[in-house]
Amino acid sequence: MHGRPVEGKPAAGVPLLRALLQTRPAGPVAADAPPAVRRAQVAVLRDRCLLTVGFFAALRRELARLPVDHLEHVEDALWLLVARSKADQTGAGRRVELP
């Protein structure tokens, strides 16, 4: 009958991001490695990139459908186009600068 204030969770910080990234250690992708090993190495790099971009752009559900071509490297910055989100039903999109 009566609403209650929502109790939010504390925001994830850089120490948590660092701990998450340490669970997926990455090394160089060896061109002469067997295909299965190369796929595993590329998957680790993909996971690390998604964690990092999702953290710095503060993305949740938008991250899952983020096309690679929505990332743009301009001078010394990385820009991300979030074409549509839950809060942007019209699809106007927004550009986010990543540190």
Side-chain angles (χ1 to χ4, degrees):
M1 217 174 179
H2 298 286
R4 271 188 2 193
V6 177
E7 295 180 19
K9 300 291 181 188
V14 173
L16 178 58
L17 175 63
R18 189 175 290 124
L20 289 169
L21 293 175
Q22 287 174 350
T23 67
R24 302 293 286 166
V29 178
D32 59 343
V37 172
R38 284 198 317 261
R39 277 193 298 276
Q41 291 173 324
V42 169
V44 166
L45 291 173
R46 177 207 58 214
D47 293 348
R48 291 175 61 89
C49 287
L50 285 171
L51 284 168
T52 305
V53 167
F55 177 83
F56 285 109
L59 300 175
R60 288 185 283 276
R61 69 177 68 206
E62 298 92 352
L63 189 62
R65 60 175 177 246
L66 181 70
V68 172
D69 60 347
H70 282 200
L71 284 168
E72 180 183 4
H73 185 257
V74 179
E75 295 177 18
D76 291 334
L78 187 62
W79 284 91
L80 171 67
L81 170 65
V82 180
R84 181 176 220 115
S85 67
K86 184 178 175 182
D88 176 27
Q89 293 297 311
T90 62
R94 66 184 170 107
R95 285 180 52 140
V96 179
E97 183 179 7
L98 303 173

Coordinates of all heavy atoms in Angstrom, one line a residue:
M1 N 0.8 -1.2 0.0 CA 0.0 0.0 0.0 C 0.9 1.3 0.0 O 0.6 2.2 -0.7 CB -0.9 0.0 1.2 CG -2.2 0.5 1.0 SD -3.3 0.3 2.4 CE -4.6 1.1 1.7
H2 N 1.9 1.3 0.8 CA 2.8 2.4 0.9 C 4.1 2.1 0.3 O 4.7 1.0 0.6 CB 3.0 2.9 2.3 CG 1.7 3.3 3.0 ND1 1.1 4.5 2.7 CD2 0.9 2.7 3.9 CE1 0.0 4.6 3.4 NE2 -0.2 3.5 4.1
G3 N 4.6 2.9 -0.5 CA 5.9 2.7 -1.2 C 7.1 2.8 -0.2 O 6.9 3.5 0.9
R4 N 8.1 2.2 -0.5 CA 9.4 2.3 0.3 C 10.4 2.9 -0.6 O 10.5 2.5 -1.8 CB 9.8 0.9 0.7 CG 9.3 0.4 2.0 CD 9.9 -0.9 2.4 NE 11.0 -1.4 1.6 CZ 11.5 -2.6 1.7 NH1 11.0 -3.4 2.6 NH2 12.4 -3.0 1.0
P5 N 11.3 3.7 0.0 CA 12.4 4.1 -0.9 C 13.3 2.9 -1.3 O 13.5 2.0 -0.5 CB 13.2 5.1 0.1 CG 12.5 5.1 1.3 CD 11.3 4.2 1.3
V6 N 13.8 3.0 -2.5 CA 14.6 1.9 -3.0 C 16.0 2.1 -2.4 O 16.6 3.2 -2.4 CB 14.7 2.0 -4.5 CG1 15.7 0.9 -5.1 CG2 13.4 1.8 -5.2
E7 N 16.5 1.0 -1.9 CA 17.9 1.0 -1.3 C 18.8 0.6 -2.4 O 18.9 -0.5 -2.8 CB 18.0 0.0 -0.1 CG 17.1 0.4 1.0 CD 17.2 -0.6 2.2 OE1 18.2 -1.3 2.2 OE2 16.3 -0.5 3.0
G8 N 19.6 1.6 -2.9 CA 20.6 1.4 -3.9 C 21.8 0.7 -3.5 O 22.1 0.6 -2.3
K9 N 22.5 0.1 -4.4 CA 23.8 -0.6 -4.1 C 24.9 0.4 -4.3 O 24.8 1.3 -5.1 CB 24.0 -1.8 -5.0 CG 22.9 -2.8 -4.9 CD 23.0 -3.5 -3.6 CE 22.0 -4.6 -3.5 NZ 21.9 -5.2 -2.1
P10 N 26.0 0.3 -3.6 CA 27.1 1.2 -3.8 C 27.7 1.0 -5.2 O 27.7 -0.1 -5.8 CB 28.1 0.8 -2.7 CG 27.7 -0.6 -2.3 CD 26.2 -0.7 -2.5
A11 N 28.2 2.1 -5.8 CA 28.7 2.0 -7.1 C 30.0 1.2 -7.1 O 30.8 1.2 -6.1 CB 29.0 3.4 -7.6
A12 N 30.3 0.5 -8.2 CA 31.5 -0.2 -8.4 C 32.6 0.8 -8.6 O 32.5 1.8 -9.3 CB 31.4 -1.2 -9.6
G13 N 33.8 0.6 -8.0 CA 34.9 1.5 -8.1 C 36.0 0.9 -8.9 O 36.0 -0.3 -9.3
V14 N 37.1 1.6 -9.0 CA 38.3 1.1 -9.8 C 38.9 -0.1 -9.1 O 39.3 -1.0 -9.8 CB 39.3 2.3 -9.9 CG1 40.6 1.7 -10.5 CG2 38.7 3.4 -10.8
P15 N 38.9 -0.2 -7.8 CA 39.5 -1.5 -7.2 C 38.7 -2.7 -7.6 O 39.3 -3.8 -7.9 CB 39.4 -1.2 -5.7 CG 39.4 0.2 -5.5 CD 38.7 0.8 -6.7
L16 N 37.3 -2.6 -7.7 CA 36.5 -3.7 -8.2 C 36.8 -4.0 -9.6 O 37.0 -5.2 -10.0 CB 35.1 -3.5 -7.9 CG 34.1 -4.6 -8.4 CD1 34.5 -5.9 -7.7 CD2 32.7 -4.2 -8.2
L17 N 36.9 -3.0 -10.5 CA 37.2 -3.2 -11.9 C 38.6 -3.9 -12.0 O 38.7 -4.8 -12.8 CB 37.2 -1.9 -12.6 CG 37.7 -1.9 -14.1 CD1 36.7 -2.8 -14.9 CD2 37.8 -0.6 -14.7
R18 N 39.5 -3.4 -11.3 CA 40.9 -4.1 -11.3 C 40.8 -5.5 -10.9 O 41.4 -6.4 -11.6 CB 41.8 -3.3 -10.4 CG 43.3 -3.7 -10.5 CD 44.2 -2.9 -9.6 NE 44.3 -1.5 -10.2 CZ 44.0 -0.4 -9.5 NH1 43.6 -0.5 -8.3 NH2 44.1 0.7 -10.1
A19 N 40.0 -5.8 -9.9 CA 39.9 -7.2 -9.5 C 39.2 -8.1 -10.5 O 39.6 -9.2 -10.8 CB 39.1 -7.3 -8.2
L20 N 38.2 -7.5 -11.2 CA 37.5 -8.2 -12.3 C 38.5 -8.5 -13.4 O 38.5 -9.6 -14.0 CB 36.3 -7.4 -12.8 CG 35.1 -7.3 -11.8 CD1 34.1 -6.3 -12.3 CD2 34.4 -8.7 -11.7
L21 N 39.3 -7.5 -13.8 CA 40.2 -7.6 -14.9 C 41.3 -8.7 -14.6 O 41.8 -9.4 -15.5 CB 40.8 -6.3 -15.3 CG 39.9 -5.3 -15.9 CD1 40.6 -4.0 -16.1 CD2 39.3 -5.8 -17.2
Q22 N 41.7 -8.8 -13.3 CA 42.7 -9.8 -12.9 C 42.1 -11.2 -13.1 O 42.9 -12.1 -13.2 CB 43.2 -9.5 -11.5 CG 44.0 -8.3 -11.4 CD 44.4 -8.0 -10.0 OE1 43.9 -8.5 -9.0 NE2 45.4 -7.0 -9.9
T23 N 40.8 -11.4 -13.1 CA 40.3 -12.7 -13.3 C 40.4 -13.2 -14.8 O 40.2 -14.3 -15.0 CB 38.8 -12.8 -12.9 OG1 38.0 -12.0 -13.8 CG2 38.6 -12.4 -11.5
R24 N 40.7 -12.2 -15.7 CA 40.8 -12.5 -17.1 C 42.2 -12.0 -17.6 O 42.2 -11.0 -18.3 CB 39.7 -11.9 -17.9 CG 38.3 -12.3 -17.5 CD 38.0 -13.7 -17.8 NE 37.9 -13.9 -19.3 CZ 37.9 -15.0 -19.9 NH1 38.0 -16.1 -19.2 NH2 37.7 -15.1 -21.2
P25 N 43.3 -12.6 -17.1 CA 44.6 -12.0 -17.5 C 44.8 -12.2 -19.0 O 44.4 -13.2 -19.6 CB 45.6 -12.9 -16.7 CG 44.9 -14.1 -16.4 CD 43.4 -13.7 -16.3
A26 N 45.3 -11.2 -19.6 CA 45.5 -11.2 -21.1 C 47.0 -11.1 -21.5 O 47.8 -10.4 -20.8 CB 44.8 -10.0 -21.7
G27 N 47.3 -11.8 -22.5 CA 48.7 -11.7 -23.1 C 48.5 -11.4 -24.5 O 47.4 -11.3 -25.1
P28 N 49.6 -11.3 -25.2 CA 49.5 -11.1 -26.7 C 48.9 -12.3 -27.4 O 49.1 -13.5 -26.9 CB 51.0 -10.9 -27.1 CG 51.8 -11.5 -26.0 CD 51.0 -11.4 -24.7
V29 N 48.2 -12.1 -28.4 CA 47.6 -13.2 -29.2 C 48.7 -13.7 -30.2 O 49.1 -12.9 -31.1 CB 46.4 -12.7 -30.0 CG1 45.8 -13.8 -30.9 CG2 45.3 -12.1 -29.0
A30 N 49.1 -14.9 -30.0 CA 50.2 -15.5 -30.8 C 49.6 -15.9 -32.1 O 48.7 -16.7 -32.2 CB 50.8 -16.7 -30.0
A31 N 50.2 -15.4 -33.2 CA 49.7 -15.8 -34.5 C 49.9 -17.2 -34.9 O 49.2 -17.8 -35.7 CB 50.4 -14.9 -35.6
D32 N 51.0 -17.8 -34.3 CA 51.3 -19.2 -34.6 C 50.7 -20.2 -33.7 O 50.9 -21.4 -33.8 CB 52.8 -19.4 -34.6 CG 53.5 -19.1 -33.3 OD1 52.8 -18.4 -32.5 OD2 54.6 -19.5 -33.1
A33 N 49.8 -19.8 -32.8 CA 49.1 -20.7 -31.8 C 48.0 -21.4 -32.5 O 47.5 -20.9 -33.6 CB 48.6 -19.9 -30.7
P34 N 47.6 -22.5 -32.0 CA 46.5 -23.3 -32.6 C 45.2 -22.4 -32.6 O 45.1 -21.5 -31.7 CB 46.3 -24.5 -31.8 CG 47.6 -24.6 -31.0 CD 48.2 -23.3 -30.9
P35 N 44.3 -22.6 -33.5 CA 43.1 -21.8 -33.6 C 42.3 -21.8 -32.2 O 41.8 -20.7 -31.9 CB 42.2 -22.5 -34.7 CG 43.2 -23.1 -35.5 CD 44.3 -23.6 -34.6
A36 N 42.2 -22.9 -31.5 CA 41.5 -22.9 -30.3 C 42.1 -22.0 -29.3 O 41.4 -21.3 -28.5 CB 41.4 -24.3 -29.7
V37 N 43.4 -21.9 -29.2 CA 44.1 -21.1 -28.3 C 44.0 -19.6 -28.7 O 43.7 -18.7 -27.8 CB 45.6 -21.4 -28.2 CG1 46.4 -20.4 -27.4 CG2 45.8 -22.9 -27.7
R38 N 44.0 -19.3 -30.0 CA 43.8 -17.9 -30.4 C 42.4 -17.5 -30.1 O 42.2 -16.3 -29.7 CB 44.1 -17.8 -31.9 CG 45.5 -17.8 -32.3 CD 45.8 -17.3 -33.7 NE 44.9 -17.8 -34.7 CZ 45.1 -18.8 -35.6 NH1 46.3 -19.4 -35.5 NH2 44.2 -19.1 -36.4
R39 N 41.4 -18.3 -30.3 CA 40.0 -17.9 -30.0 C 39.9 -17.6 -28.5 O 39.2 -16.7 -28.1 CB 39.1 -19.0 -30.4 CG 38.6 -19.0 -31.8 CD 37.4 -19.9 -32.1 NE 37.7 -21.3 -31.8 CZ 38.3 -22.2 -32.6 NH1 38.7 -21.8 -33.8 NH2 38.5 -23.4 -32.3
A40 N 40.5 -18.4 -27.7 CA 40.5 -18.2 -26.2 C 41.2 -16.9 -25.8 O 40.7 -16.1 -25.0 CB 41.1 -19.4 -25.5
Q41 N 42.3 -16.6 -26.5 CA 43.0 -15.4 -26.2 C 42.2 -14.1 -26.6 O 42.1 -13.1 -25.9 CB 44.4 -15.4 -26.9 CG 45.4 -16.3 -26.3 CD 46.6 -16.4 -27.1 OE1 46.6 -16.4 -28.4 NE2 47.8 -16.6 -26.5
V42 N 41.6 -14.2 -27.8 CA 40.7 -13.1 -28.3 C 39.5 -13.0 -27.4 O 39.1 -11.8 -27.1 CB 40.3 -13.4 -29.8 CG1 39.3 -12.4 -30.2 CG2 41.6 -13.2 -30.6
A43 N 39.0 -14.0 -26.9 CA 37.8 -14.0 -26.0 C 38.2 -13.2 -24.7 O 37.4 -12.4 -24.1 CB 37.3 -15.3 -25.7
V44 N 39.4 -13.5 -24.2 CA 39.9 -12.8 -23.0 C 40.0 -11.3 -23.2 O 39.5 -10.5 -22.4 CB 41.2 -13.4 -22.5 CG1 41.9 -12.5 -21.5 CG2 41.0 -14.8 -21.9
L45 N 40.6 -10.9 -24.4 CA 40.7 -9.5 -24.7 C 39.3 -8.9 -24.9 O 39.1 -7.8 -24.4 CB 41.5 -9.4 -26.0 CG 43.0 -9.7 -25.9 CD1 43.6 -9.7 -27.3 CD2 43.7 -8.8 -25.0
R46 N 38.4 -9.6 -25.5 CA 37.0 -9.1 -25.6 C 36.4 -8.8 -24.3 O 35.8 -7.8 -24.0 CB 36.2 -10.1 -26.4 CG 34.7 -9.7 -26.6 CD 33.8 -10.8 -26.7 NE 33.9 -11.7 -25.6 CZ 33.7 -13.1 -25.7 NH1 33.5 -13.6 -26.8 NH2 33.8 -13.8 -24.6
D47 N 36.5 -9.8 -23.4 CA 35.9 -9.7 -22.0 C 36.5 -8.5 -21.3 O 35.8 -7.7 -20.7 CB 36.2 -10.9 -21.2 CG 35.4 -12.1 -21.7 OD1 34.5 -11.9 -22.6 OD2 35.7 -13.2 -21.3
R48 N 37.8 -8.3 -21.4 CA 38.5 -7.2 -20.7 C 38.0 -5.8 -21.3 O 37.8 -4.9 -20.6 CB 40.0 -7.3 -20.8 CG 40.5 -8.5 -20.0 CD 42.0 -8.7 -20.2 NE 42.8 -7.5 -19.8 CZ 43.3 -7.3 -18.6 NH1 43.1 -8.2 -17.6 NH2 44.0 -6.2 -18.3
C49 N 37.9 -5.8 -22.6 CA 37.4 -4.6 -23.3 C 36.0 -4.2 -22.8 O 35.7 -3.1 -22.5 CB 37.5 -4.7 -24.8 SG 39.2 -4.6 -25.4
L50 N 35.1 -5.2 -22.8 CA 33.7 -5.0 -22.4 C 33.6 -4.5 -21.0 O 32.8 -3.6 -20.7 CB 32.9 -6.3 -22.6 CG 32.5 -6.6 -24.1 CD1 31.9 -8.0 -24.2 CD2 31.6 -5.5 -24.6
L51 N 34.4 -5.1 -20.1 CA 34.4 -4.7 -18.7 C 34.8 -3.3 -18.6 O 34.2 -2.5 -17.8 CB 35.3 -5.6 -17.8 CG 34.7 -7.0 -17.5 CD1 35.8 -7.9 -16.9 CD2 33.6 -6.8 -16.5
T52 N 35.9 -2.9 -19.3 CA 36.5 -1.6 -19.1 C 35.6 -0.5 -19.8 O 35.3 0.5 -19.1 CB 37.9 -1.5 -19.8 OG1 38.7 -2.5 -19.2 CG2 38.5 -0.2 -19.6
V53 N 35.1 -0.8 -21.0 CA 34.2 0.2 -21.6 C 32.9 0.3 -20.8 O 32.4 1.4 -20.6 CB 33.9 -0.2 -23.1 CG1 32.7 0.5 -23.7 CG2 35.1 -0.1 -23.9
G54 N 32.3 -0.8 -20.4 CA 31.1 -0.8 -19.6 C 31.3 0.0 -18.3 O 30.4 0.8 -17.9
F55 N 32.4 -0.1 -17.7 CA 32.7 0.6 -16.4 C 32.8 2.1 -16.6 O 32.1 2.9 -16.0 CB 34.0 0.1 -15.8 CG 34.3 0.8 -14.5 CD1 33.8 0.5 -13.3 CD2 35.2 1.8 -14.5 CE1 34.1 1.1 -12.1 CE2 35.6 2.5 -13.4 CZ 35.0 2.2 -12.2
F56 N 33.6 2.5 -17.6 CA 33.8 3.9 -17.8 C 32.7 4.6 -18.5 O 32.5 5.8 -18.3 CB 35.1 4.2 -18.5 CG 36.3 4.0 -17.7 CD1 37.2 2.9 -17.8 CD2 36.6 4.9 -16.6 CE1 38.3 2.7 -17.0 CE2 37.7 4.7 -15.8 CZ 38.5 3.6 -16.0
A57 N 31.9 3.9 -19.2 CA 30.7 4.6 -19.9 C 29.4 4.4 -19.0 O 28.4 4.9 -19.4 CB 30.5 4.0 -21.2
A58 N 29.6 3.7 -17.9 CA 28.4 3.4 -17.0 C 27.3 2.7 -17.7 O 26.1 3.2 -17.6 CB 28.0 4.7 -16.3
L59 N 27.6 1.7 -18.4 CA 26.6 1.0 -19.2 C 26.2 -0.3 -18.5 O 27.1 -0.9 -17.9 CB 27.1 0.6 -20.6 CG 27.5 1.8 -21.5 CD1 28.2 1.3 -22.8 CD2 26.4 2.7 -21.8
R60 N 25.0 -0.7 -18.7 CA 24.6 -2.0 -18.2 C 24.0 -2.8 -19.4 O 24.7 -3.4 -20.1 CB 23.6 -1.9 -17.0 CG 24.3 -1.4 -15.8 CD 23.3 -1.3 -14.6 NE 22.4 -0.2 -14.6 CZ 22.7 1.0 -14.2 NH1 23.9 1.2 -13.7 NH2 21.8 2.0 -14.2
R61 N 22.7 -2.7 -19.6 CA 22.1 -3.4 -20.6 C 22.5 -3.0 -22.0 O 22.5 -3.8 -23.0 CB 20.5 -3.4 -20.5 CG 19.9 -2.0 -20.8 CD 18.4 -2.0 -20.7 NE 18.0 -2.3 -19.3 CZ 16.9 -2.8 -19.0 NH1 16.0 -3.1 -19.9 NH2 16.6 -3.0 -17.7
E62 N 22.9 -1.7 -22.2 CA 23.3 -1.2 -23.5 C 24.6 -1.9 -24.0 O 24.9 -2.0 -25.2 CB 23.5 0.3 -23.5 CG 22.3 1.1 -23.1 CD 22.2 1.4 -21.6 OE1 23.0 0.8 -20.8 OE2 21.3 2.2 -21.2
L63 N 25.4 -2.4 -23.1 CA 26.7 -3.0 -23.4 C 26.5 -4.2 -24.2 O 27.3 -4.5 -25.1 CB 27.5 -3.3 -22.1 CG 28.9 -3.7 -22.3 CD1 29.7 -2.6 -22.9 CD2 29.5 -4.0 -20.9
A64 N 25.5 -5.0 -24.0 CA 25.3 -6.3 -24.7 C 25.0 -6.1 -26.2 O 25.3 -7.0 -26.9 CB 24.1 -7.0 -24.0
R65 N 24.5 -5.0 -26.6 CA 24.2 -4.8 -28.0 C 25.0 -3.6 -28.6 O 24.5 -3.0 -29.5 CB 22.7 -4.6 -28.2 CG 22.1 -3.4 -27.5 CD 20.7 -3.2 -27.8 NE 20.2 -2.0 -27.0 CZ 19.3 -2.1 -26.1 NH1 18.7 -3.3 -25.8 NH2 18.9 -1.1 -25.4
L66 N 26.1 -3.4 -28.1 CA 27.0 -2.4 -28.5 C 27.8 -2.8 -29.7 O 28.7 -3.7 -29.6 CB 27.9 -1.9 -27.4 CG 28.9 -0.8 -27.7 CD1 28.1 0.5 -27.8 CD2 29.9 -0.7 -26.6
P67 N 27.6 -2.2 -30.9 CA 28.4 -2.6 -32.1 C 29.8 -2.0 -31.9 O 30.0 -0.9 -31.4 CB 27.7 -2.0 -33.3 CG 26.4 -1.5 -32.8 CD 26.5 -1.3 -31.3
V68 N 30.8 -2.7 -32.4 CA 32.2 -2.2 -32.4 C 32.4 -0.9 -33.1 O 33.1 0.0 -32.7 CB 33.2 -3.3 -32.9 CG1 34.6 -2.8 -33.1 CG2 33.1 -4.5 -32.0
D69 N 31.6 -0.7 -34.2 CA 31.8 0.5 -35.0 C 31.2 1.7 -34.3 O 31.3 2.8 -34.8 CB 31.3 0.3 -36.4 CG 29.8 0.0 -36.5 OD1 29.2 -0.4 -35.4 OD2 29.2 0.0 -37.6
H70 N 30.6 1.5 -33.1 CA 30.1 2.7 -32.3 C 31.2 3.3 -31.4 O 31.0 4.2 -30.8 CB 28.9 2.3 -31.5 CG 27.7 2.3 -32.3 ND1 26.4 2.4 -31.8 CD2 27.5 2.1 -33.6 CE1 25.5 2.3 -32.7 NE2 26.1 2.1 -33.9
L71 N 32.4 2.6 -31.5 CA 33.6 3.2 -30.8 C 34.4 4.0 -31.8 O 34.6 3.5 -32.9 CB 34.4 2.1 -30.2 CG 33.9 1.4 -28.9 CD1 34.7 0.2 -28.6 CD2 34.0 2.4 -27.8
E72 N 34.8 5.2 -31.4 CA 35.6 6.0 -32.4 C 36.8 6.6 -31.7 O 36.6 7.2 -30.6 CB 34.6 7.1 -32.9 CG 35.3 8.1 -33.9 CD 34.3 9.2 -34.3 OE1 33.2 9.3 -33.8 OE2 34.8 10.0 -35.1
H73 N 37.9 6.4 -32.2 CA 39.2 7.0 -31.7 C 39.4 8.3 -32.4 O 39.6 8.4 -33.6 CB 40.3 6.0 -31.9 CG 41.6 6.5 -31.2 ND1 42.6 7.1 -31.9 CD2 42.0 6.4 -29.9 CE1 43.6 7.4 -31.1 NE2 43.2 7.0 -29.9
V74 N 39.4 9.4 -31.6 CA 39.6 10.7 -32.1 C 40.7 11.4 -31.3 O 40.5 11.6 -30.1 CB 38.3 11.6 -32.0 CG1 38.5 13.0 -32.6 CG2 37.2 10.9 -32.8
E75 N 41.8 11.7 -31.9 CA 43.0 12.3 -31.3 C 43.4 11.5 -30.1 O 43.7 10.3 -30.3 CB 42.7 13.8 -31.0 CG 42.5 14.6 -32.2 CD 42.2 16.1 -31.8 OE1 42.4 16.5 -30.7 OE2 41.7 16.8 -32.7
D76 N 43.2 12.0 -28.9 CA 43.7 11.3 -27.7 C 42.5 10.8 -26.9 O 42.6 10.5 -25.7 CB 44.5 12.1 -26.8 CG 45.9 12.4 -27.4 OD1 46.3 11.6 -28.2 OD2 46.5 13.4 -27.1
A77 N 41.3 10.7 -27.5 CA 40.1 10.3 -26.8 C 39.4 9.1 -27.5 O 39.7 8.8 -28.7 CB 39.1 11.4 -26.7
L78 N 38.6 8.4 -26.8 CA 37.8 7.3 -27.3 C 36.4 7.7 -27.1 O 36.0 8.0 -25.9 CB 38.1 6.0 -26.6 CG 37.5 4.7 -27.1 CD1 37.9 4.5 -28.6 CD2 37.8 3.5 -26.3
W79 N 35.6 7.8 -28.1 CA 34.2 8.2 -28.0 C 33.3 7.0 -28.3 O 33.6 6.2 -29.2 CB 33.8 9.3 -29.0 CG 34.4 10.6 -28.6 CD1 35.6 11.2 -29.0 CD2 33.7 11.6 -27.8 NE1 35.7 12.4 -28.4 CE2 34.6 12.7 -27.7 CE3 32.5 11.6 -27.2 CZ2 34.2 13.8 -26.9 CZ3 32.1 12.7 -26.5 CH2 33.0 13.8 -26.3
L80 N 32.2 6.9 -27.6 CA 31.3 5.8 -27.7 C 29.9 6.4 -28.1 O 29.4 7.3 -27.4 CB 31.2 5.0 -26.4 CG 30.2 3.9 -26.3 CD1 30.4 2.8 -27.3 CD2 30.1 3.4 -24.9
L81 N 29.3 5.8 -29.1 CA 27.9 6.2 -29.4 C 27.0 5.2 -28.8 O 27.0 4.0 -29.2 CB 27.7 6.3 -30.9 CG 26.3 6.5 -31.4 CD1 25.7 7.8 -31.0 CD2 26.2 6.3 -32.9
V82 N 26.1 5.6 -27.9 CA 25.1 4.8 -27.3 C 23.8 5.2 -28.1 O 23.2 6.2 -27.8 CB 24.9 5.0 -25.8 CG1 23.8 4.1 -25.3 CG2 26.2 4.7 -25.1
A83 N 23.5 4.4 -29.1 CA 22.4 4.7 -30.0 C 21.0 4.7 -29.4 O 20.2 5.5 -29.7 CB 22.4 3.8 -31.2
R84 N 20.8 3.8 -28.5 CA 19.5 3.7 -27.8 C 19.7 3.1 -26.5 O 20.5 2.2 -26.3 CB 18.6 2.8 -28.7 CG 17.2 2.7 -28.1 CD 16.3 1.9 -29.0 NE 15.0 2.5 -28.9 CZ 14.4 3.1 -30.0 NH1 15.0 3.1 -31.1 NH2 13.2 3.7 -29.8
S85 N 18.9 3.6 -25.5 CA 19.0 3.1 -24.2 C 17.6 3.1 -23.6 O 16.7 3.6 -24.2 CB 20.0 3.9 -23.3 OG 19.4 5.2 -23.1
K86 N 17.5 2.5 -22.4 CA 16.2 2.5 -21.7 C 15.6 3.9 -21.5 O 14.4 4.1 -21.6 CB 16.3 1.7 -20.4 CG 15.1 1.5 -19.6 CD 15.4 0.8 -18.4 CE 14.1 0.6 -17.5 NZ 14.4 -0.1 -16.3
A87 N 16.5 4.8 -21.2 CA 16.1 6.2 -20.9 C 15.9 7.0 -22.2 O 15.4 8.1 -22.1 CB 17.1 6.9 -20.0
D88 N 16.3 6.4 -23.3 CA 16.3 7.2 -24.6 C 15.4 6.4 -25.6 O 15.9 5.8 -26.5 CB 17.7 7.4 -25.1 CG 17.7 8.0 -26.5 OD1 16.8 8.8 -26.8 OD2 18.7 7.8 -27.2
Q89 N 14.1 6.3 -25.4 CA 13.2 5.5 -26.2 C 13.1 6.1 -27.6 O 12.7 5.3 -28.5 CB 11.9 5.4 -25.6 CG 11.9 4.7 -24.3 CD 12.3 3.2 -24.4 OE1 11.8 2.5 -25.3 NE2 13.2 2.8 -23.7
T90 N 13.4 7.3 -27.9 CA 13.3 7.9 -29.2 C 14.5 7.5 -30.1 O 14.4 7.7 -31.3 CB 13.1 9.4 -29.2 OG1 14.3 10.0 -28.6 CG2 11.9 9.8 -28.4
G91 N 15.5 7.0 -29.5 CA 16.7 6.7 -30.3 C 17.6 7.8 -30.7 O 18.3 7.7 -31.7
A92 N 17.5 8.9 -30.0 CA 18.3 10.1 -30.3 C 19.8 9.8 -30.1 O 20.6 10.3 -30.9 CB 17.9 11.3 -29.5
G93 N 20.1 9.0 -29.2 CA 21.5 8.6 -29.0 C 22.2 9.6 -28.2 O 21.8 10.7 -28.0
R94 N 23.4 9.2 -27.6 CA 24.3 10.1 -26.9 C 25.7 9.6 -27.1 O 26.0 8.4 -27.3 CB 23.9 10.2 -25.5 CG 24.2 8.9 -24.7 CD 23.7 9.0 -23.2 NE 23.8 7.7 -22.6 CZ 24.7 7.3 -21.7 NH1 25.6 8.1 -21.4 NH2 24.6 6.1 -21.2
R95 N 26.6 10.6 -27.1 CA 28.0 10.2 -27.3 C 28.7 10.4 -25.9 O 28.4 11.3 -25.2 CB 28.7 11.2 -28.2 CG 28.4 10.9 -29.7 CD 29.0 11.8 -30.6 NE 30.5 11.9 -30.3 CZ 31.4 11.9 -31.2 NH1 31.1 12.0 -32.5 NH2 32.7 12.0 -30.9
V96 N 29.5 9.4 -25.6 CA 30.1 9.3 -24.3 C 31.6 9.3 -24.5 O 32.1 8.5 -25.3 CB 29.7 8.1 -23.5 CG1 30.4 8.0 -22.1 CG2 28.2 8.0 -23.3
E97 N 32.4 10.2 -23.8 CA 33.8 10.2 -24.0 C 34.4 9.3 -22.9 O 34.0 9.4 -21.7 CB 34.4 11.6 -23.8 CG 35.9 11.6 -24.0 CD 36.5 13.0 -23.8 OE1 35.8 13.9 -23.5 OE2 37.7 13.1 -24.1
L98 N 35.2 8.4 -23.3 CA 35.8 7.4 -22.3 C 37.2 7.9 -22.0 O 38.0 8.3 -22.8 CB 35.9 6.0 -22.9 CG 34.5 5.4 -23.4 CD1 34.7 4.1 -24.1 CD2 33.6 5.3 -22.2
P99 N 37.6 7.8 -20.7 CA 38.9 8.3 -20.3 C 40.0 7.3 -20.8 O 39.7 6.2 -21.0 CB 38.9 8.3 -18.8 CG 37.7 7.5 -18.4 CD 36.8 7.4 -19.6

